[in-house]
Amino acid sequence: MELPEAALDFGRVADSALRSAGGVDLARGAESDRRPAARAEECLASIGLYDIDPRSGLDDAVAAAELCRVGGSHAVPFPLVGVLLRTSAGTPFSLVDARHPIIDHAQAAGTWTAATLGGDLFDAEPAAAVDSKVAPFAMTVRLRPVAGGAASVLDRRLGLVLGAYHLLGIGQRALRLAIEHTKVRNQFGHPLSDFQVIRHGLADLSVGLEGLDLLCRFSLWSTFTDNSPSLVDALSVRLEAQRVVKHTLRTTQQFHGASGFADEYDISILVRHAQPGLRLPTDRGATLALLRTAIEEFGFTGSFHLAEEQAAR
């Protein structure tokens, strides 16, 4: 239920370092200049990014998760999950949809290791920018199948869970921005935060993010304790992250009013830069379909065990 104090300390150090380096301004500037992305990498390297190996065990995985969450809260213009899951050869790792292979921040490396959620393994090379305002760093990639290769269950689970932590950080920052904005923005002579509908809306978002935080922790623990080939827990946390963070971003941007769509405000940057994480390698519909298939094959262990319920019928 609680993260180790060492991991929390690491998260605080990472947050402080990224704030000092520029915070969300790094993402804002990186859209037109490569130097902010380079500063982001230098900052992350200085606090130990390349010393973390999330595959080595739960301790390093928790540190990686905290780094992804903090990185998400600053919309850091760098492929954190991919670099944390780099291969022994040093190539970043990404989950992709083989039919429409796109990698966010693909320009950070000349060659990637890519895998589908089904386990197909590829070498990937950046091809062309997606050229979308809501995916300023995303690129299509060319895939070359790795003969006889298959992505491990651990790699696929970690890719999904660390991605969920990244989205969690984005949602948490969006909520903080909305709280700050509604406290200082006045309407009818009162701060927006005095209105019951605003207060209830913020409370609802807070509860949703706290639940996602706990589910992320459970899924990370399950990644190292479940010996089955199932992706059920990892797909579940991705689906919940997509639901909760999408709702959080939509609501907090609405609370900012028209200013929420201006890039001078951090909430606009967070909303735009969150889109690749929400949509790649699967959107909510595809995630749900994969989760249903995984549950049919492996079951779903929870408060109410499906096998017991079906037997009772």
Side-chain angles (χ1 to χ4, degrees):
M1 296 292 287
E2 296 183 2
L3 294 180
E5 191 60 33
L8 295 175
D9 285 341
F10 179 62
R12 287 187 280 267
V13 168
D15 182 62
S16 177
L18 286 170
R19 285 182 186 277
S20 297
V24 177
D25 282 338
L26 291 174
R28 185 180 281 109
E31 293 190 24
S32 58
D33 187 343
R34 295 181 65 89
R35 287 174 294 181
R39 287 202 300 274
E41 181 179 11
E42 291 171 4
C43 174
L44 293 165
S46 71
I47 61 174
L49 165 66
Y50 293 101
D51 297 325
I52 300 172
D53 178 8
R55 297 182 183 87
S56 66
L58 196 52
D59 287 344
D60 265 30
V62 169
E66 267 296 277
L67 189 56
C68 289
R69 184 188 66 80
V70 172
S73 73
H74 293 284
V76 62
F78 183 75
L80 256 178
V81 175
V83 170
L84 283 165
L85 292 177
R86 63 196 179 279
T87 67
S88 57
T91 57
F93 175 87
S94 179
L95 294 170
V96 297
D97 177 351
R99 296 168 299 174
H100 307 287
I102 298 173
I103 296 177
D104 199 26
H105 297 286
Q107 78 284 355
T111 303
W112 286 68
T113 297
T116 65
L117 287 172
D120 297 327
L121 196 63
F122 304 90
D123 289 325
E125 293 181 355
V130 171
D131 194 24
S132 168
K133 187 68 173 176
V134 297
F137 308 116
M139 298 185 73
T140 59
V141 295
R142 290 184 290 268
L143 300 180
R144 297 193 309 274
V146 175
S152 70
V153 174
L154 178 61
D155 282 357
R156 286 177 280 158
R157 285 179 178 174
L158 284 172
L160 291 169
V161 175
L162 294 181
Y165 266 100
H166 188 265
L167 289 174
L168 171 64
I170 292 174
Q172 290 174 333
R173 180 64 178 276
L175 177 60
R176 290 197 298 272
L177 291 173
I179 291 172
E180 293 167 3
H181 181 80
T182 56
K183 284 182 177 180
V184 300
R185 187 76 171 184
N186 291 320
Q187 192 173 49
F188 305 115
H190 296 277
L192 286 175
S193 58
D194 282 357
F195 294 93
Q196 191 176 64
V197 66
I198 299 293
R199 298 169 74 92
H200 284 183
L202 292 171
D204 178 62
L205 297 180
S206 178
V207 170
L209 288 167
E210 288 180 8
L212 175 59
D213 189 5
L214 289 173
L215 185 58
C216 282
R217 297 182 198 186
F218 171 81
S219 299
L220 190 62
W221 170 82
S222 174
T223 295
F224 289 91
T225 57
D226 180 5
N227 295 321
S228 78
S230 169
L231 296 181
V232 168
D233 288 340
L235 288 168
S236 296
V237 75
R238 171 158 178 81
L239 183 66
E240 183 67 355
Q242 289 173 305
R243 184 190 71 81
V244 170
V245 175
K246 182 179 180 180
H247 174 61
T248 298
L249 293 173
R250 180 192 298 122
T251 305
T252 53
Q253 194 170 38
Q254 288 173 347
F255 285 170
H256 278 75
S259 62
F261 296 90
D263 282 354
E264 291 83 357
Y265 286 77
D266 287 353
I267 186 64
S268 176
I269 300 297
L270 285 175
V271 169
R272 290 198 293 105
H273 289 209
Q275 298 311 308
L278 289 169
R279 303 167 189 266
L280 300 175
T282 56
D283 60 17
R284 282 183 66 193
T287 305
L288 179 59
L290 288 167
L291 177 59
R292 284 173 171 164
T293 300
I295 290 174
E296 289 173 358
E297 183 175 359
F298 298 103
F300 189 90
T301 302
S303 300
F304 304 95
H305 199 290
L306 289 180
E308 295 174 359
E309 183 179 336
Q310 290 168 354
R313 293 176 184 175

